[in-house]
Every structure is written in structure tokens, then in C-alpha cells.
Amino acid sequence: MNLDTYRPLGRSGLLVSPLALGTMTFGTPRWGLDESGSRAVFDRYTDLGGNFIDTADVYAGGRSEEMVGSFVAAQSSRDRLVIATKSGFATGRGYRAGGNGARHILASVEGSLRRLQTDFIDLYWVHIWDGVTPAEELLRTMTALIAGGKIRYWGISNTPAWYVAELRTLARVQGNPVPIGLQYFYSLVERGVEAEHLPFARSAGMGLVPWSPPRLWPSHRQIRPRDRRDGSEARGRRPQPGRAGRHGASRRRQASRWRQSVRRHAVHRAQLADSRRTEARRSGD
């Protein structure tokens, strides 16, 4: 897969790499990357042709956005990059320090623009559903941001499908900019979005950007000493490339079960379609 094989995100004119660079680890203490490590990752991604950078106002308390802004400035690459950021999670104390109310989103956008050292944000994600803000208010806020040139497109993350459908329906009826993308936790071991979000996205022409797709895979957990075939102690280290321990076998079993599930689902849908056609012919007779 080439990073410079760009494609539209959903039914839009926003062309992005097939893999985005998530920057939640940039500047995150303890388990993240310092500035030099973050810069190395960023430079490698862009050198390979990647153009889709994903960050958020809450990542490392805003430090992730600051790093992205400085890296882009150092490369003078703003014109060829798609920068996405988010708001919604609390970034301070008080009931106005989070959520999707107009006051918080507008303040968050201004803060992100400053930290990213840019005049506009290509894609602005509503990071999480707050369970409070009416769809009408959120749509007005996002429409105003696009009209004011602060953002170009917007999308929804970690939100019930019915709320996204309400937003999109209101936007279409009123002639306002519709959300073009969804961002959710999706992997081989977490496929809950397949029930409603994926069919809805396909029907509505919205792109899906999974977050943490490798998460919860066996290769991403710490290996216990008994997991090592060579009998040596793992001491909490991650599996080394090329080693064929239980983690590899478990991963293959998981992938095999997933393929079998997909085939069973396809067969069930085909049988259901045949049954409905038969019933339709009988009723016509």
C-alpha cells in the first residue's frame, strides 16, 4: 500500500492517504514519544508520501498539536498536508471546558489554530458525543466554522449512529455542510461498528477512519515467560519480528475466525436473498 495513492474521504473532494498518521503519542509522558522521536516518525511518514495527519486538542495537553505545527513549519509542507484535529473531551476544569457546545468548540478551534500554526484546519472531528448538545446547535456551529474559513470539512467520532444520522439529515434538509467522515474504534477483535455505523456510512457516503486498528491484538500485549518457545524469560518485552510463539498462532487463529465469520455472513445473506426471491415468485403466482 502506497501512502501517496490518495483517495477521497467519503463523498467529498478531500484527498487523503490510505493510512493516517495518528499523533496521540507525540509528547505524551511515560508511554509516548519525545520531540526527537516524534519528529522522526513524522518525517518518515511524509517522506513516504503520507499527507493525512491526525491529532487532537487533548493529546498530551495540546503538546501534540504544537509538535505537528512545528514539524509542518520546518518542512514548509502545509500546502500538501491534510491536518485533522478534534475537540470534545475536557481540556480543563469547569463545565465549559469540554463538550460540544458552541462556546467550547469555537474556543477549541482558535486554540488548535494557534498551536498548529495554521490559518485553517482541513478536517475537524467532533471527538466524542457529550449527550447534551442538540444536533441543531452542533450543526450551526460547524456550519459557521466552515463559512468563516476556520475549517474545511468536519466529521464525527465516538458517537451513536442515530445522532450522526440526525445531524446529516438536518444538514441535507437545510443545505448545510454535511459531515464527511466517521472515526471509531475498529479492529479484528472489536467490530461493533459493523452493526449500524458501517452500513450507515456506506449508505450516506461517509468515510470511516478507524482508530487504534491494531489494538488488543496479541502482538501488542506483554508476553509472559511461558509464552516463549525458546524458554527464555520475556520480562515484559514485546514479541520480536520473525519469532513464532503463541502470539503468532493466536493471531492466525483470530484472522481465520474472522474470515470464517465473513464467509458465513455472506452465505446467510445469499440464502436470505434466495428465500425472498422465492417468496416473491410464489406471491406473484
Side-chain angles (χ1 to χ4, degrees), residues 194-258:
E194 293 179 355
E196 293 187 354
H197 292 85
L198 274 182
F200 169 68
R202 188 178 297 111
S203 173
M206 301 175 71
L208 178 69
V209 181
W211 58 263
S212 293
R215 190 176 178 185
L216 300 182
W217 275 62
S219 62
H220 280 247
R221 63 174 172 81
Q222 291 185 337
I223 302 177
R224 296 181 297 273
R226 65 174 179 272
D227 290 331
R228 296 290 291 272
R229 290 288 181 87
D230 58 7
S232 62
E233 292 186 6
R235 298 184 184 274
R237 292 192 298 269
R238 290 185 178 182
Q240 298 299 313
R243 292 189 182 260
R246 291 183 184 176
H247 59 279
S250 177
R251 186 166 58 222
R252 288 191 294 272
R253 285 194 297 270
Q254 178 66 55
S256 176
R257 285 195 295 268
W258 177 73

Side-chain angles (χ1 to χ4, degrees), residues 72 76-83 117-122:
V72 173
S76 299
S77 57
R78 181 65 184 95
D79 289 343
R80 72 176 186 86
L81 295 181
V82 172
I83 297 180
Q117 303 179 43
T118 186
D119 296 327
F120 67 94
I121 295 164
D122 295 285

Side-chain angles (χ1 to χ4, degrees), residues 6 27 37 42 122 140 159 185 197 266 273:
Y6 307 122
F42 185 90
D122 295 285
R140 285 196 303 268
T159 297
F185 182 22
H197 292 85

Side-chain angles (χ1 to χ4, degrees), residues 73 90 142 186 189 201 256 273:
M142 306 310 288
Y186 186 31
V189 292
S256 176

Side-chain angles (χ1 to χ4, degrees), residues 40-236:
V41 171
F42 185 90
D43 289 345
R44 180 59 175 165
Y45 175 79
T46 55
D47 287 346
L48 291 173
N51 79 331
F52 194 5
I53 313 298
D54 185 87
T55 185
D57 62 350
V58 75
Y59 291 171
R63 181 61 181 142
S64 173
E65 288 183 327
E66 292 175 349
M67 286 188 180
V68 169
S70 65
F71 299 163
V72 173
Q75 291 184 348
S76 299
S77 57
R78 181 65 184 95
D79 289 343
R80 72 176 186 86
L81 295 181
V82 172
I83 297 180
T85 191
K86 321 174 190 69
S87 72
F89 282 103
T91 54
R93 295 183 178 181
Y95 58 89
R96 290 195 179 94
N100 301 326
R103 177 169 173 172
H104 179 251
I105 288 181
L106 295 175
S108 296
V109 167
E110 293 299 332
S112 292
L113 290 171
R114 183 178 63 256
R115 288 186 291 271
L116 290 167
Q117 303 179 43
T118 186
D119 296 327
F120 67 94
I121 295 164
D122 295 285
L123 175 61
Y124 199 73
W125 295 106
V126 177
H127 205 166
I128 191 169
W129 181 51
D130 64 4
V132 175
T133 305
E136 295 86 351
E137 178 182 342
L138 179 55
L139 179 59
R140 285 196 303 268
T141 303
M142 306 310 288
T143 300
L145 286 169
I146 291 177
K150 302 290 186 180
I151 67 174
R152 296 292 188 261
Y153 300 91
W154 68 293
I156 305 292
S157 176
N158 306 314
T159 297
W162 66 263
Y163 188 82
V164 183
E166 183 176 356
L167 282 167
R168 193 176 184 282
T169 300
L170 285 171
R172 286 181 60 85
V173 169
Q174 298 174 7
N176 293 324
V178 298
I180 66 169
L182 301 173
Q183 190 176 79
Y184 290 81
F185 182 22
Y186 186 31
S187 71
L188 285 178
V189 292
E190 175 46 64
R191 300 165 58 194
V193 295
E194 293 179 355
E196 293 187 354
H197 292 85
L198 274 182
F200 169 68
R202 188 178 297 111
S203 173
M206 301 175 71
L208 178 69
V209 181
W211 58 263
S212 293
R215 190 176 178 185
L216 300 182
W217 275 62
S219 62
H220 280 247
R221 63 174 172 81
Q222 291 185 337
I223 302 177
R224 296 181 297 273
R226 65 174 179 272
D227 290 331
R228 296 290 291 272
R229 290 288 181 87
D230 58 7
S232 62
E233 292 186 6
R235 298 184 184 274

